[in-house]
């Protein structure tokens, strides 16, 4: 439901384009890892993946489950709440591993949060937390790096700026781009796996951001 809804709503707020690495092959039970820059980018990534025939379940901040109706819908769709600094934190990996075992695709944001910046410009992904590589090591699932750019043109900054950006986006219709990289097999130690995954997501982000003419990507 969320993937289909995102693919309907995102074109109303921006002009989404999607590219993939040549020869990319998608297998059931994959882990998708994407860069996280804005409250808008989960919908943008879901819409892009839906166009490729992929409907993942996402791991998201547990606070979303406290929102009436939304929390119930997230649970019904199989989405996975992530409790930070909480005894239930480990439950998220258990649920994600179970979803992968059933052949579902799991979307994870390895940075663990949105950068605190006021401007709408792009920047390379921040440091990854350990959840991604722990999940990959536990399940042996392939990891698909995804880079998105343009979401900060929809929402970014403080609450007032975010609301203003969302309300004016249907008029501005900013360019949005998602690039899907080739799957990775993370078979080394934790540090090497994290470095490899981060580099792959950064490369995918750079491709996406360069398509939009973002200075940070063009300079790199």
């Amino acid at each position: 439901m969320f993937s289909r809804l995102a693919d309907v709503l995102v074109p109303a707020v921006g002009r989404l384009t999607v590219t993939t690495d040549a020869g990319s092959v998608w297998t059931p039970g994959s882990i998708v890892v994407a860069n996280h820059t804005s409250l808008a980018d989960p919908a943008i990534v879901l819409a892009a993946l839906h166009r490729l025939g992929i409907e993942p379940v996402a791991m998201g901040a547990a606070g979303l489950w406290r929102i009436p109706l939304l929390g119930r819908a997230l649970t019904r769709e199989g989405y996975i709440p992530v409790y930070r600094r909480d005894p239930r934190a480990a439950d998220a990996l258990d649920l994600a591993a179970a979803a992968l075992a059933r052949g579902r695709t799991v979307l994870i944001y390895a940075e663990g949060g949105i950068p605190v910046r006021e401007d709408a410009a792009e920047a390379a992904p921040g440091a990854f937390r350990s959840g991604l590589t722990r999940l990959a090591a536990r399940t042996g699932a392939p990891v698909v790096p995804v880079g998105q750019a343009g979401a900060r043109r929809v929402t970014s900054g403080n609450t007032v700026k975010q609301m203003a950006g969302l309300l004016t986006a249907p008029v501005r219709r900013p360019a949005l781009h998602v690039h899907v990289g080739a799957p990775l097999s993370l078979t080394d130690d934790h540090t090497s796996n994290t470095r490899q995954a981060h580099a792959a997501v950064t490369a995918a982000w750079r491709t996406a951001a360069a398509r939009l003419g973002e200075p940070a990507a063009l300079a790199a």
Side-chain angles (χ1 to χ4, degrees):
M1 180 188 74
F2 286 110
S3 293
R4 294 191 297 273
L5 184 61
D7 204 5
V8 171
L9 295 179
V10 167
V13 299
R15 295 169 285 118
L16 175 62
T17 51
V18 184
T19 54
T20 63
D21 276 351
S24 291
V25 177
W26 201 283
T27 59
S30 296
I31 303 169
V32 175
V33 55
N35 61 313
H36 199 15
T37 62
S38 163
L39 291 175
D41 65 60
I44 292 167
V45 170
L46 286 177
L49 294 178
H50 187 258
R51 296 184 185 186
L52 299 175
I54 303 151
E55 296 185 355
V57 295
M59 301 176 71
L64 295 172
W65 273 255
R66 293 196 294 268
I67 300 174
L69 299 181
L70 175 61
R72 201 175 308 170
L74 290 168
T75 299
R76 184 178 65 247
E77 294 292 315
Y79 280 49
I80 300 164
V82 178
Y83 295 89
R84 297 192 181 98
R85 295 178 292 277
D86 186 285
R88 294 169 291 180
D91 294 348
L93 289 186
D94 293 338
L95 292 170
L100 291 167
R102 294 193 301 271
R104 296 299 305 270
T105 297
V106 173
L107 170 60
I108 184 171
Y109 288 95
E111 294 163 275
I114 299 171
V116 182
R117 290 192 289 113
E118 291 295 316
D119 64 289
E122 290 290 326
F128 280 6
R129 296 176 183 266
S130 64
L132 168 65
T133 51
R134 286 160 56 202
L135 182 60
R138 175 174 171 177
T139 63
V143 174
V144 181
V146 170
Q148 61 77 27
R152 292 187 66 81
R153 300 177 180 182
V154 179
T155 58
S156 59
N158 59 36
T159 302
V160 173
K161 286 184 65 178
Q162 291 195 48
M163 290 301 299
L166 188 60
L167 291 173
T168 60
V171 177
R172 296 182 289 110
R173 301 200 71 244
L176 315 167
H177 192 82
V178 173
H179 182 77
V180 181
L184 309 172
S185 179
L186 301 182
T187 57
D188 295 328
D189 61 89
H190 170 72
T191 300
S192 297
N193 287 343
T194 301
R195 186 183 303 117
Q196 184 182 359
H198 186 273
V201 173
T202 300
W205 161 80
R206 187 171 292 119
T207 298
R211 289 288 292 257
L212 302 186
E214 283 284 345
L218 297 176

